[in-house]
Amino acid sequence: MKQFTKLADVPDREHLIERAFECKHSPHAWRTLGNGRILGMVFFNPSLRTRVSTHRAASLLGMDVVAMTVGADVWTLETRDGTIMDAAAAEHIREAAAVMGRYVDVLGIRAFARLHDRLEDYAETVLERFAELSGVPIVSLESATRHPLQSLADIMTIEQFKRYERPRVVLTWAPHPKALPQAVPNSFAEWTLAMGYDVVIAHPPGYELDERFTNGAAITTDQNEALDGADFVYAKNWSSYRDYGKILSQDMRWQITPEKMALTREGYFMHCLPIRRNMIASDAVLDSPRSIVVEQAANRVPAAQAVLRTMLESL
Ligand code: CP
C-alpha cells in the first residue's frame, strides 16, 4: 500500500480489517518490522487520539516517530505557488515537504478543511502536495474531506460489537456551536457503505453531504425515523456542504438523549471524539453502558498499526 488517504487506496479492505484485529490481539508480534524506519507526523490542526494512537502504533512496530506542529515547533507553511512570502509563513511547502521526504520513511499529514472554498478543500491541495513533493508514502491523519484511520477504527468497533450480520448503522447530525468539516461523516459513509451495512443518514434540511460519499445510503430529515431499530448510532456534527461551511441549524432537539436511544434496537452509541457533552449527546448517554466511544478510540491503535504494518511491508 503506497498511501492511505481514502478507501480506494486500500487494495484489499477485508484483509486490512483482518490485519487490524490481528494487531489488536497481538500488538507486539511485529515489533522489529519498522526498525530503522521513521514516521514523520505533520499537524496543521490539534489532535489527541490521532497523534497518540498513531505514535503508539508506530512504536509497537519498532519505528521512531517525529511529530511536528505547523506554526509551533516547525515553521508556518505557505502552500500556494507564486505568492510573495511577505506574511506569516516562513517556509514554502515545496522545500518543507521535499526535505521531510529525505528525513522520514512515511509521512502522516493532518490538514483540515478551511471551510472557505469548497473546491479548494475538496481538491485536497495540502495532502496532494505533500504526496507529490515528499516522495514518501502518505498516511492521512484527517484531511479536508476524509478521516480514514478513524473510519477503519469505526469499522473494527462495529464488527466487534455487532449482533446481526447486516447491522442498521445510523449516522446522525447533532448540534454544535462551531462550523465543523465534513471529513468524518464523509469517510464514515464511504466505509460503512462499502461494508454492506444498512446505512441511514439523518440530518436537518440543508445538511446533505456530497453524494459521492453517500450514494446507497437511506437519507432522511426525520431523526426518530432513522433511529427506529438502529444497532449503532454514530452522532456527528458537520457544517453545510451545499451552503459551504455554514451553520444552518443548532436545533437542540437533534441531541442524542436516552429517549432517542430508547428508539433503537438496544443500539450502541458511537462518536469519533472529541465530543461536546450536552450538545451532541447528553451526559446520560455518554455515561451509559451503551456508549462505546472509549473502545472506539482504543481501536485507533490497531487500526493505525495495521496501516503502517502494510506500508512497511511494501517499502
Ligand atoms: N477522532 C480524532 O481524530 O481525534 P483527535 O482529533 O483528537 O485526533
Side-chain angles (χ1 to χ4, degrees), residues 43 45-54 110 112 141-142 147 149-150 154 184 234 236 271-274 296-297 300:
F43 289 91
N45 313 96
S47 170
L48 188 166
R49 279 141 292 271
T50 306
R51 188 170 182 135
V52 181
S53 63
T54 311
R110 168 164 282 204
F112 289 176
L141 303 175
E142 185 172 342
H147 195 356
L149 284 175
Q150 180 66 54
D154 295 341
V184 169
Y234 197 106
K236 185 73 185 82
H271 189 278
C272 61
L273 306 182
Q296 187 184 348
R300 293 293 305 273

Side-chain angles (χ1 to χ4, degrees), residues 4-248:
F4 184 74
T5 64
K6 54 186 179 302
L7 182 57
D9 293 333
V10 180
D12 185 338
R13 187 193 69 244
E14 288 299 333
H15 187 50
L16 184 64
I17 296 166
E18 206 174 286
R19 284 179 152 227
F21 278 109
E22 285 171 6
C23 291
K24 185 177 173 77
H25 298 128
S26 307
H28 300 285
W30 299 272
R31 63 173 181 265
T32 58
L33 181 67
N35 283 175
R37 302 289 192 182
I38 299 182
L39 170 69
M41 295 197 290
V42 180
F43 289 91
F44 286 83
N45 313 96
S47 170
L48 188 166
R49 279 141 292 271
T50 306
R51 188 170 182 135
V52 181
S53 63
T54 311
H55 193 136
R56 178 165 171 78
S59 299
L60 286 167
L61 295 166
M63 299 180 84
D64 290 318
V65 181
V66 182
M68 296 160 271
T69 304
V70 174
D73 48 33
V74 296
W75 305 110
T76 303
L77 295 182
E78 176 58 66
T79 56
R80 294 162 301 172
D81 281 334
T83 47
I84 298 169
M85 290 176 56
D86 59 357
E91 179 155 25
H92 201 279
I93 193 171
R94 282 185 171 271
E95 285 76 41
V99 167
M100 285 179 199
R102 301 295 180 96
Y103 296 158
V104 306
D105 300 283
V106 178
L107 200 48
I109 307 293
R110 168 164 282 204
F112 289 176
R114 292 177 182 161
L115 298 179
H116 300 309
D117 180 336
R118 186 169 80 183
L119 278 180
E120 187 181 299
D121 284 343
Y122 274 68
E124 294 285 14
T125 316
V126 177
L127 209 61
E128 292 295 329
R129 300 230 70 193
F130 269 104
E132 169 203 345
L133 297 163
S134 71
V136 295
I138 299 291
V139 177
S140 167
L141 303 175
E142 185 172 342
S143 70
T145 66
R146 291 176 174 88
H147 195 356
L149 284 175
Q150 180 66 54
S151 302
L152 179 55
D154 295 341
I155 296 298
M156 287 181 72
T157 311
I158 292 171
E159 289 297 303
Q160 187 182 332
F161 284 89
K162 77 178 187 186
R163 288 159 300 179
Y164 302 95
E165 190 50 37
R166 186 169 183 258
R168 180 173 170 92
V169 176
V170 177
L171 168 64
T172 177
W173 180 95
H176 194 282
K178 294 176 72 177
L180 299 186
Q182 296 105 27
V184 169
N186 282 346
S187 219
F188 185 75
E190 184 169 63
W191 284 68
T192 51
L193 284 163
M195 291 296 290
Y197 301 148
D198 176 11
V199 179
V200 183
I201 303 175
H203 56 72
Y207 279 98
E208 295 76 12
L209 292 162
D210 183 346
E211 283 176 11
R212 286 172 293 182
F213 295 94
T214 61
N215 263 333
I219 298 172
T220 176
T221 54
D222 183 336
Q223 191 188 47
N224 286 351
E225 176 194 289
L227 294 175
D228 186 16
D231 298 304
F232 295 91
V233 178
Y234 197 106
K236 185 73 185 82
N237 177 268
W238 61 89
S239 60
S240 175
Y241 173 73
R242 194 183 63 194
D243 202 357
Y244 193 64
K246 297 281 188 307
I247 295 175
L248 307 179

Side-chain angles (χ1 to χ4, degrees), residues 172-175 223 233 235-236 252-262 269-271 273 275-293:
T172 177
W173 180 95
Q223 191 188 47
V233 178
K236 185 73 185 82
M252 293 299 283
R253 288 173 300 180
W254 281 74
Q255 181 186 103
I256 302 299
T257 59
E259 293 71 32
K260 298 277 177 69
M261 291 301 292
F269 178 79
M270 297 178 71
H271 189 278
L273 306 182
I275 188 165
R276 296 212 180 209
R277 280 176 171 252
N278 304 311
M279 287 293 303
I280 299 278
S282 67
D283 284 338
V285 169
L286 280 162
D287 297 333
S288 81
R290 309 313 299 172
S291 172
I292 52 174
V293 296

